[in-house]
């Protein structure tokens, strides 16, 4: 064997290149245990210009059951060539604009490709991600061909996907030409989307670098400091530093020698901790899947992306709050990284369609590790002790401080379920939304594996995993085959799995009743699915002692009764701790004794929290607000709406108006219908009412009935569409003067609306159309909003508003279209001074209707056309301009305009407008300029949350 390695080494010597290729190809099959593609690469590194000059040979085996006249090569570095590639579009979907705004030298591409023309007749466009080589002679089934290439790779900046060049290092992956060896149709296109998909798995690699003063690490076995070789079920990765950042950790675990290379520096203290934790982690993983690779590379990308979610300290300005102690945080982070890396190396599968197998097993290992080592750890970690206000520790009042760390998986999946944005587990990886990659592919699937393992017995489940991967170590496996084999090994306990992963599930178990039958309890359980899903039932006595039973179900949805021993049982619970991905957990608990027999207990909790499904919880939340007429509004809101909101939500908010000394408040009730597979994602029906003051000692009452239908959307899309309909009744107390002026004391409003929004990066637009009517008028309006990010963090905005009264028999200007100020007759804008006509409160600005910043002191009762323009000027300042034409009855149309500066204190939330030039003249030169300055104040929590989560789901 030694002479063979010497022959392969001589391949990298310029004077013996031809001979070495021939010898390597002659003897190489002796080293392989299957016919696989083999890739030999020699790389000259230009670290100044971030370029690779590559000489490459490929031994390609026809994997199809037919002759091939073309070979498809993947050149995924071309995905970085501009923002119009599938990678560029995907990054914009996630609102990441680094590639879009990158400079030419920050982009990546392949160039100067030359191919051995003795074998290849034609080469397609080398600037594309899929390069097709037309062979001169068709390649027969099972036969191989040797192809030679030479090309240059311009590396991209690592700021785009973290692969490429950093300031003092390189991280290489997916940058070499490789054959596509996963698709049945070799000519179908495939694209790089930065989702850690396999580019070309199951190959033999031999890679040698020519680079001075470089320190190179790889997931391939190292023959010398610049020479790497071996088989991989994943793609090769190389971490190249120009300062000695190399850290190698070597361990012997279960008689296996494992090297772990770190592509970053660590402190002596951290190394000492790793020397303690890593051998334990490796043994834990090996004992469960029966595999450890000889070599593991953990680079900067893995450290940033694959660590334990939620383990980092929370930093807010000068405050830092620890979630975990340093040893615990390091233990959790490295186990998360190691388990992901090892699972990916343990078998070979098409990750696009079998991502759930990789991610589910990784999460299963993580869950088992937490069960063993962190069973008593809480989700909030140290935060309940760390967060202090004076001497109080407010987080201890919340249920979240009592939630076990292991419940994070069920909660993460439950949250996306409440939004009705979950996807089927079997959804291809390329189509999963960013959040579902975690919530569905990892959390939901890991929870299912954990449930199956618990019922089978963890030892039996682990033995199945070991045996299955050992038997299929050298072949590409399929998720379907894995499920079929698991079904046999589990004695049909996992029979539901194949159907379960194919659809969006709304599985729900319910404890309907419990009765004493002699010395047993008859527990009636129902489920809403015909899948034969087993469930875990626990009986709990007064001392908290639990007895666990795994019970099977049939393909019927009818309720079944199960007999269990009556061991002084106080409570029955099923699938506790979110141990199976259900839609609803609040009906999984029932009491057998006392006042709350056959029902859940009532519990009041302070402030909105993560719900405890064991109780009917009512949250009481102090309410504090202010307006010019009620002054400080002090009260309390009682609601069942939590951080995982139920379908039926109620809220009652009694309060005291300190400005009037009277009782005020509001109340509401809504129901959200969220079928899994429909043309809409949710349909909400609701009613609400309120009582406050709109002027000094003048109260108003509102009553609303409404429905809102949000259409279903593509999961990675930022497009949202909805239609709404509402009826509102308003009653205002009037003064004698207002009565004399024929003011409206009572009125009804009907509204029909349509909304479209596309919150994509770069080009963001919104369209709204509405029709509103009452006894005295009917009016229609349309609004279009467009925002363009023309340079990084520099935006230009345009808005158009058009409105027309179909009929108008109103007796005053209350319902007119506003030019500079909206009248807010429906009380749906957060104005601090509803009736203010002068002073600071009257200067509050709402971008609605005409949207002018200068005060034209008029409104419109016939039609209005207006346009608003806003663009970045310098640092916190924008330049704005408004233009419009309006017509009032019996008057000719009038053209108006204004312009000025906008100060962005908190963009989109707190902004100040300084009018300069307008139809009124040069405004700073006029008297009382301070009264002309306008400001926005948007502190709507729901708007802020939706603003932050764009691009996530």
């Amino acid at each position: 064997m030694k002479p063979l390695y010497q022959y392969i080494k001589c391949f990298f010597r310029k004077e013996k290149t031809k001979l070495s290729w021939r010898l390597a190809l002659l003897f190489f099959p002796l080293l392989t245990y299957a016919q696989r593609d083999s890739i030999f690469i020699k790389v000259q590194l230009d670290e100044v210009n971030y370029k690779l000059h590559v000489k490459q040979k490929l031994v390609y085996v026809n994997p199809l059951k037919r002759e091939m006249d073309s070979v498809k090569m993947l050149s995924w570095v071309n995905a970085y060539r501009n923002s119009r590639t599938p990678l560029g579009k995907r990054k914009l979907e996630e609102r990441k604009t680094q590639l879009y705004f990158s400079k030419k030298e920050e982009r990546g591409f392949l160039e100067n490709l030359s191919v051995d023309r003795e074998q290849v007749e034609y080469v397609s466009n080398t600037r594309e991600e899929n390069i097709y080589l037309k062979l001169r002679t068709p390649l027969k089934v099972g036969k191989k061909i040797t192809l030679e290439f030479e090309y240059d790779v311009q590396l991209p900046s690592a700021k785009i996907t973290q692969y490429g060049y950093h300031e003092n290092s390189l991280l290489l992956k997916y940058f070499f030409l490789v054959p596509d060896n996963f698709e049945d149709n070799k000519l179908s296109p495939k694209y790089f989307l930065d989702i850690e998909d396999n580019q070309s798995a199951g190959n033999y690699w031999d890679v040698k670098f020519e680079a001075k003063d470089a320190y190179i690490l790889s997931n391939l076995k190292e023959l010398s400091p610049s020479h790497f070789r071996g088989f991989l079920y994943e793609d090769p990765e190389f971490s190249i530093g120009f300062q000695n950042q190399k850290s190698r950790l070597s361990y012997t675990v279960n008689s296996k020698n494992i090297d772990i290379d770190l592509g970053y520096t660590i402190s002596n203290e951290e190394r000492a901790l790793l020397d303690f934790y890593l051998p334990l982690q490796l043994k834990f993983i090996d004992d469960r899947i029966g595999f450890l690779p000889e070599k593991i590379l953990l680079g900067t990308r893995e450290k940033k992306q694959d660590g334990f979610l939620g383990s980092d300290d929370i930093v807010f300005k000068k405050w830092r709050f620890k979630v975990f102690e340093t040893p615990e945080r390091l233990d959790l982070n490295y186990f998360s990284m190691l388990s992901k890396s090892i699972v990916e190396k343990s078998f070979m599968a098409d990750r696009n369609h079998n991502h759930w197998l990789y991610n589910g097993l990784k999460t299963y290992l993580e869950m088992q590790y937490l069960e063993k080592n962190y069973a008593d750890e809480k989700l909030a970690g140290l935060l309940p002790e760390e967060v202090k206000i004076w001497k109080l520790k407010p987080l201890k009042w919340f249920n979240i401080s009592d939630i076990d760390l292991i419940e994070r998986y069920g909660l993460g999946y439950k949250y996306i379920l409440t939004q009705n944005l979950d996807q089927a587990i079997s959804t291809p990886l390329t189509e999963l939304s960013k959040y579902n990659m975690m919530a569905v592919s990892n959390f939901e699937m890991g929870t299912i594996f954990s449930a199956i393992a618990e019922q089978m017995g963890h030892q039996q489940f682990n033995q199945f995993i070991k045996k299955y991967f050992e038997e299929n170590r050298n072949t590409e496996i399929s998720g379907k085959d894995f499920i079929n084999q698991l079904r046999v090994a589990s004695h049909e306990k996992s029979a539901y799995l194949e159907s379960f992963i194919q659809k969006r599930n709304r599985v729900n178990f319910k404890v309907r009743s419990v009765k004493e039958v002699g010395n047993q309890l008859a527990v009636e359980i129902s489920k809403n699915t015909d899948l034969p899903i087993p469930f875990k039932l626990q009986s709990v006595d007064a001392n908290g002692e639990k007895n666990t039973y795994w019970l099977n179900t049939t393909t019927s949805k009818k309720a079944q009764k199960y007999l269990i021993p009556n061991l002084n049982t106080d409570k029955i619970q099923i699938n506790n701790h979110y141990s199976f991905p259900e839609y609803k957990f609040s009906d999984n608990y029932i009491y057998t004794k006392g006042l709350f027999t056959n029902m859940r207990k009532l519990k009041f909790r302070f402030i909105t929290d993560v719900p405890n499904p064991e109780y009917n919880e009512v949250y009481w939340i102090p309410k504090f607000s202010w307006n010019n007429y009620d002054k400080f509004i002090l009260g309390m809101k009682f609601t069942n709406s939590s951080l995982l909101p139920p379908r039926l939500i109620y809220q009652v908010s009694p309060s005291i108006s300190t400005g009037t000394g009277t009782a005020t408040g509001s109340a509401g009730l809504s129901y959200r219908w969220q079928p899994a597979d429909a043309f809409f994602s949710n349909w909400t029906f609701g009613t609400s009412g309120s009582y406050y003051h709109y002027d000094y000692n003048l109260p108003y009452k509102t009553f609303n009935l409404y429905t809102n239908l949000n259409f279903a959307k593509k999961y990675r899309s930022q497009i949202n569409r909805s239609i709404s309909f509402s009826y509102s009744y308003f009653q205002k107390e009037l003064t004698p003067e207002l009565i004399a002026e024929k003011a409206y004391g009572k009125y009804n409003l009907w509204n029909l609306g349509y909304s479209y929004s596309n919150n994509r990066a770069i080009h963001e637009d919104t369209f709204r159309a509405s029709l509103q009517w009452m006894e005295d008028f009917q009016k229609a309006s349309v609004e279009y909003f467009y925002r363009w990010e023309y340079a990084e963090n520099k935006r230009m905005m345009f808005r158009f508003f058009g409105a027309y009264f179909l009929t108008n028999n109103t007796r005053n200007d209350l319902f007119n279209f506003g030019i500079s100020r909206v009248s807010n007759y429906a009380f749906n804008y957060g104005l601090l001074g509803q009736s203010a006509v002068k002073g600071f409160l009257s200067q509050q600005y709402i971008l609605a209707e005409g949207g002018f910043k200068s005060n034209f002191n008029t409104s419109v009762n016939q039609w209005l056309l207006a346009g608003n323009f806003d663009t970045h000027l310098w640092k916190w300042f924008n330049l704005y301009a408004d233009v419009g034409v309006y017509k009032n009855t019996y008057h000719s149309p009038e053209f108006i305009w204004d312009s000025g500066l906008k100060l962005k204190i908190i963009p989109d939330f707190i902004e100040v407008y300084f009018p300069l030039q307008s139809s009124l003249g040069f405004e700073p030169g006029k008297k009382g300029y301070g009264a002309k300055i306008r400001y926005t104040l948007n502190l709507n929590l729901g708007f802020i949350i939706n603003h932050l989560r764009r691009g996530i789901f």
Side-chain angles (χ1 to χ4, degrees):
M1 195 64 69
K2 184 176 179 181
L4 176 60
Y5 284 114
Q6 292 175 344
Y7 288 136
I8 294 176
K9 284 183 178 181
C10 77
F11 148 70
F12 295 107
R13 300 172 187 164
K14 295 181 180 180
E15 67 275 11
K16 296 185 179 180
T17 297
K18 293 293 184 180
L19 175 61
S20 61
W21 278 123
R22 292 167 183 162
L23 292 172
L25 297 179
L26 176 63
F27 290 101
F28 177 72
L30 298 176
L31 293 176
T32 65
Y33 36 81
Q35 280 198 323
R36 299 193 180 283
D37 297 338
S38 307
I39 301 170
F40 301 83
I41 293 176
K42 181 178 181 180
V43 184
Q44 289 181 338
L45 177 62
D46 180 355
E47 63 267 27
V48 176
N49 299 304
Y50 304 118
K51 282 190 175 184
L52 308 177
H53 179 70
V54 182
K55 290 182 179 180
Q56 177 175 340
K57 278 200 174 184
L58 165 67
V59 181
Y60 180 74
V61 181
N62 182 357
L64 304 183
K65 297 179 181 180
R66 57 174 174 80
E67 287 188 349
M68 297 179 63
D69 57 5
S70 295
V71 175
K72 183 175 70 169
M73 303 295 294
L74 300 177
S75 178
W76 280 1
V77 70
N78 282 335
Y80 297 85
R81 69 186 184 275
N82 57 52
S83 62
R84 297 183 298 277
T85 65
L87 171 64
K89 295 175 182 177
R90 189 177 185 91
K91 286 300 179 184
L92 290 182
E93 286 179 356
E94 298 173 356
R95 303 190 66 81
K96 294 181 179 179
T97 60
Q98 291 90 344
L99 179 56
Y100 187 90
F101 290 119
S102 63
K103 301 174 184 177
K104 183 178 179 180
E105 60 270 20
E106 294 176 323
R107 298 173 182 173
F109 49 85
L110 181 143
E111 60 183 351
N112 304 324
L113 174 64
S114 62
V115 182
D116 181 5
R117 291 296 178 172
E118 292 182 6
Q119 302 281 9
V120 178
E121 179 182 349
Y122 169 77
V123 181
S124 67
N125 189 350
T126 60
R127 299 285 287 176
E128 300 296 325
E129 293 174 65
N130 296 269
I131 300 176
Y132 301 93
L133 309 179
K134 174 70 173 177
L135 301 178
R136 293 189 181 277
T137 303
L139 185 61
K140 297 184 181 298
V141 177
K143 298 300 181 180
K144 60 188 175 184
I145 188 174
T146 301
L147 301 172
E148 298 186 26
F149 309 95
E150 190 167 351
Y151 54 90
D152 294 322
V153 173
Q154 174 63 60
L155 296 175
S157 168
K159 71 179 184 180
I160 299 171
T161 65
Q162 298 181 50
Y163 291 126
Y165 66 84
H166 297 263
E167 185 176 353
N168 293 310
S169 63
L170 306 175
L171 187 59
L172 308 183
K173 193 175 184 180
Y174 307 123
F175 292 144
F176 299 119
L177 273 179
V178 294
D180 179 6
N181 61 3
F182 265 133
E183 298 185 48
D184 291 334
N185 180 3
K186 286 292 174 176
L187 298 182
S188 61
K190 191 174 181 181
Y191 302 104
F192 177 57
L193 299 174
D194 189 32
I195 53 175
E196 288 302 308
D197 194 6
N198 283 331
Q199 182 185 21
S200 185
N203 294 332
Y204 175 85
W205 292 84
D206 193 316
V207 183
K208 185 173 183 180
F209 288 87
E210 288 186 0
K212 296 180 179 179
D213 302 322
Y215 301 90
I216 306 175
L217 304 173
S218 177
N219 54 348
L220 284 167
K221 186 175 181 179
E222 183 179 353
L223 300 180
S224 70
S226 61
H227 192 179
F228 305 89
R229 177 190 296 159
F231 286 99
L232 287 178
Y233 289 160
E234 55 183 348
D235 293 276
E237 184 173 344
F238 302 94
S239 177
I240 304 175
F242 302 102
Q243 299 175 357
N244 189 3
Q245 297 177 325
K246 184 174 182 178
S247 297
R248 169 160 293 174
L249 307 172
S250 299
Y251 306 105
T252 299
V253 176
N254 292 345
S255 302
K256 301 174 183 178
N257 297 321
I258 299 97
D259 291 333
I260 300 177
D261 284 348
L262 305 181
Y264 46 85
T265 56
I266 57 174
S267 65
N268 292 333
E269 179 186 6
E270 188 172 356
R271 185 179 185 111
L273 289 170
L274 291 178
D275 285 339
F276 173 77
Y277 282 119
L278 292 186
L280 299 176
Q281 294 177 1
L282 292 168
K283 185 177 188 308
F284 183 92
I285 296 170
D286 188 39
D287 289 345
R288 282 152 183 82
I289 67 173
F291 173 79
L292 290 177
E294 294 181 1
K295 183 74 172 293
I296 298 173
L297 172 65
L298 300 178
T300 54
R301 195 176 197 269
E302 286 82 4
K303 186 177 183 181
K304 184 175 182 180
Q305 289 195 177
D306 299 336
F308 191 82
L309 185 67
S311 65
D312 292 336
D313 295 348
I314 296 176
V315 180
F316 181 73
K317 294 186 177 179
K318 64 179 181 178
W319 293 284
R320 176 182 291 271
F321 303 103
K322 280 188 175 183
V323 181
F324 297 104
E325 296 289 358
T326 299
E328 292 178 328
R329 184 176 71 248
L330 183 138
D331 183 25
L332 292 169
N333 279 329
Y334 274 86
F335 186 84
S336 181
M337 289 189 284
L338 273 184
S339 57
K340 182 177 188 296
S341 178
I342 294 172
V343 166
E344 288 175 349
K345 292 174 172 62
S346 62
F347 62 93
M348 181 172 59
D350 180 355
R351 194 167 302 175
N352 188 40
H353 296 95
N354 299 288
H355 57 86
W356 53 268
L357 185 51
Y358 286 103
N359 295 333
L361 287 173
K362 180 262 183 185
T363 302
Y364 166 73
L365 290 174
E366 200 170 85
M367 293 176 73
Q368 294 307 301
Y369 194 73
L370 294 184
E371 287 278 11
K372 180 180 179 181
N373 300 295
Y374 295 90
D376 297 326
E377 191 69 51
K378 301 301 179 182
L379 181 64
L382 300 173
L383 290 179
E385 294 291 337
E386 288 274 308
V387 179
K388 299 177 183 179
I389 300 178
W390 295 294
K391 293 185 178 181
L392 298 176
K393 299 177 180 178
L395 288 184
K396 287 195 169 184
W397 305 336
F398 293 87
N399 182 47
I400 195 171
S401 65
D402 295 324
I403 294 174
D404 292 336
L405 183 58
I406 191 67
E407 294 182 77
R408 68 198 295 265
Y409 305 98
L411 286 171
Y413 171 70
K414 185 69 170 66
Y415 177 77
I416 198 70
L417 206 62
T418 64
Q419 307 298 310
N420 203 20
L421 292 174
D422 60 303
Q423 294 171 266
I425 293 172
S426 63
T427 303
L429 184 61
T430 55
E431 298 175 18
L432 281 178
S433 70
K434 187 175 181 180
Y435 188 85
N436 278 319
M437 288 180 185
M438 175 183 67
V440 168
S441 184
N442 281 275
F443 289 2
E444 184 184 11
M445 196 65 226
T447 301
I448 291 171
F449 280 148
S450 182
I452 293 172
E454 186 172 351
Q455 188 181 18
M456 285 178 62
H458 288 289
Q459 186 174 356
Q460 287 78 8
F461 181 82
N462 296 338
Q463 282 300 119
F464 163 74
I465 296 295
K466 290 179 183 180
K467 181 179 178 182
Y468 183 82
F469 289 147
E470 183 177 353
E471 292 176 349
N472 296 276
R473 188 75 69 199
N474 304 314
T475 58
E476 180 185 345
I477 67 173
S478 71
K480 184 175 182 180
D481 180 67
F482 177 88
I483 288 174
N484 290 336
Q485 296 298 322
L486 179 59
R487 180 173 183 168
V488 174
S490 67
H491 303 289
E492 300 298 311
K493 293 180 176 64
S494 64
Y496 66 91
L497 189 55
E498 183 173 4
S499 298
F500 187 90
I501 70 171
Q502 299 297 327
K503 57 185 178 180
R504 301 172 64 205
N505 295 284
R506 295 296 180 272
V507 172
N508 188 58
F509 288 91
K510 182 177 182 178
V511 186
R512 305 187 68 88
S513 65
V514 58
K515 294 181 180 178
E516 290 190 16
V517 180
N519 61 350
Q520 293 182 308
L521 292 177
V523 186
E524 186 178 23
I525 308 290
S526 67
K527 62 182 176 70
N528 64 347
T529 176
D530 55 9
L531 293 176
I533 302 175
F535 65 93
K536 180 173 65 173
L537 183 148
Q538 289 182 318
S539 62
V540 187
D541 65 19
N543 298 318
E545 293 293 327
K546 297 177 183 178
N547 291 280
T548 301
Y549 311 90
W550 274 98
L551 303 170
N552 295 318
T553 65
T554 67
T555 56
S556 172
K557 295 182 181 179
K558 292 183 178 179
Q560 292 181 270
K561 289 186 178 180
Y562 299 86
L563 293 175
I564 64 171
N566 185 2
L567 304 174
N568 195 26
T569 301
D570 274 9
K571 180 176 65 175
I572 297 293
Q573 58 190 24
I574 58 176
N575 295 337
N576 65 317
H577 296 300
Y578 304 96
S579 58
F580 188 85
E582 286 190 58
Y583 182 77
K584 184 180 179 182
F585 287 90
S586 58
D587 49 14
N588 288 18
Y589 299 82
I590 202 167
Y591 289 86
T592 63
K593 300 175 183 178
L595 179 64
F596 292 92
T597 302
N598 281 329
M599 62 185 294
R600 290 182 299 140
K601 294 180 180 179
L602 182 66
K603 195 171 192 177
F604 286 87
R605 297 196 68 94
F606 177 62
I607 303 186
T608 300
D609 198 354
V610 175
N612 185 336
E614 186 175 342
Y615 298 93
N616 278 314
E617 294 184 320
V618 179
Y619 302 100
W620 56 281
I621 307 165
K623 187 175 180 181
F624 173 86
S625 60
W626 187 92
N627 68 55
N628 195 40
Y629 317 108
D630 287 302
K631 302 305 180 185
F632 291 105
I633 301 172
L634 307 177
M636 197 72 66
K637 180 169 76 172
F638 298 91
T639 181
N640 68 330
S641 181
S642 66
L643 296 180
L644 298 174
R647 289 184 177 184
L648 180 67
I649 296 177
Y650 63 82
Q651 67 91 10
V652 179
S653 303
S655 57
I656 294 293
S657 165
T658 60
T660 63
T662 60
T664 55
S666 64
L669 179 69
S670 67
Y671 178 79
R672 188 174 69 254
W673 183 22
Q674 295 179 309
D677 297 298
F679 68 92
F680 60 92
S681 63
N682 63 75
W683 194 345
T684 303
F685 303 87
T687 182
S688 64
S690 63
Y691 178 86
Y692 294 104
H693 294 79
Y694 73 98
D695 209 336
Y696 294 106
N697 295 310
L698 295 179
Y700 71 90
K701 301 174 184 177
T702 69
F703 172 75
N704 305 287
L705 291 171
Y706 61 89
T707 183
N708 186 76
L709 186 146
N710 290 305
F711 291 95
K713 67 171 188 173
K714 295 181 179 179
Y715 291 94
R716 292 193 58 83
S717 173
Q718 294 294 306
I719 294 176
N720 294 281
R721 296 174 298 131
S722 66
I723 56 174
S724 60
F725 178 76
S726 67
Y727 162 74
S728 301
Y729 169 76
F730 302 89
Q731 181 178 335
K732 300 194 298 185
E733 188 173 311
L734 303 177
T735 62
E737 293 79 10
L738 291 173
I739 295 174
E741 295 173 3
K742 299 183 179 180
Y744 284 88
K746 298 179 182 180
Y747 51 93
N748 304 278
L749 291 178
W750 302 82
N751 288 275
L752 178 64
Y754 170 79
S755 174
Y756 165 93
S757 66
N758 189 349
N759 294 321
R760 57 189 171 174
I762 309 301
H763 302 284
E764 179 181 345
D765 54 356
T766 301
F767 173 79
R768 299 186 185 92
S770 68
L771 178 65
Q772 187 180 86
W773 68 94
M774 62 169 289
E775 296 85 349
D776 293 350
F777 74 84
Q778 298 86 41
K779 64 182 181 180
S781 65
V782 294
E783 179 186 37
Y784 176 73
F785 176 95
Y786 171 75
R787 181 153 57 182
W788 173 37
E789 189 173 357
Y790 62 89
E792 197 164 10
N793 296 321
K794 297 179 180 179
R795 297 175 177 85
M796 180 183 296
M797 182 276 287
F798 171 75
R799 174 181 175 269
F800 168 79
F801 179 79
Y804 181 74
F805 274 97
L806 304 176
T807 62
N808 189 355
N809 300 312
T810 56
R811 54 181 185 259
N812 59 29
D813 61 1
L814 177 66
F815 304 104
N816 285 3
F817 298 117
I819 293 179
S820 305
R821 179 178 168 84
V822 295
S823 83
N824 201 28
Y825 55 84
F827 302 99
N828 53 359
Y829 297 113
L831 293 177
L832 300 177
Q834 171 73 25
S835 302
V837 294
K838 61 181 180 178
F840 177 75
L841 298 181
S842 69
Q843 295 170 239
Q844 186 177 356
Y845 172 76
I846 303 291
L847 180 58
E849 299 184 348
F852 281 75
K853 287 78 177 177
S854 295
N855 187 4
F856 288 94
N857 199 27
T858 188
S859 59
V860 178
N861 62 17
Q862 192 167 357
W863 58 263
L864 168 66
L865 298 174
N868 313 111
F869 176 80
D870 187 311
T871 187
H872 176 81
L873 182 62
W874 176 73
K875 291 188 176 181
W876 288 8
F877 288 92
N878 276 25
L879 179 67
Y880 74 81
D882 305 308
V883 62
V885 179
Y886 70 92
K887 184 182 184 307
N888 280 319
T889 308
Y890 310 121
H891 291 81
S892 299
E894 286 196 42
F895 174 79
I896 55 174
W897 63 276
D898 68 12
S899 63
L901 295 176
K902 179 175 77 173
L903 172 62
K904 300 173 292 185
I905 299 174
I906 302 178
D908 294 327
F909 299 100
I910 302 176
E911 301 174 331
V912 182
Y913 298 87
F914 300 91
L916 295 178
Q917 191 74 37
S918 71
S919 304
L920 303 173
F922 183 65
E923 302 205 32
K926 296 182 178 294
K927 185 178 179 181
Y929 178 71
K932 301 177 183 295
I933 297 171
R934 308 289 296 277
Y935 62 91
T936 59
L937 183 64
N938 187 351
L939 299 180
N940 184 293
L941 181 60
F943 178 83
I944 295 172
I945 292 173
N946 289 332
H947 184 83
L948 293 175
R949 78 178 194 179
R950 292 182 299 178
I952 307 293
F953 53 86

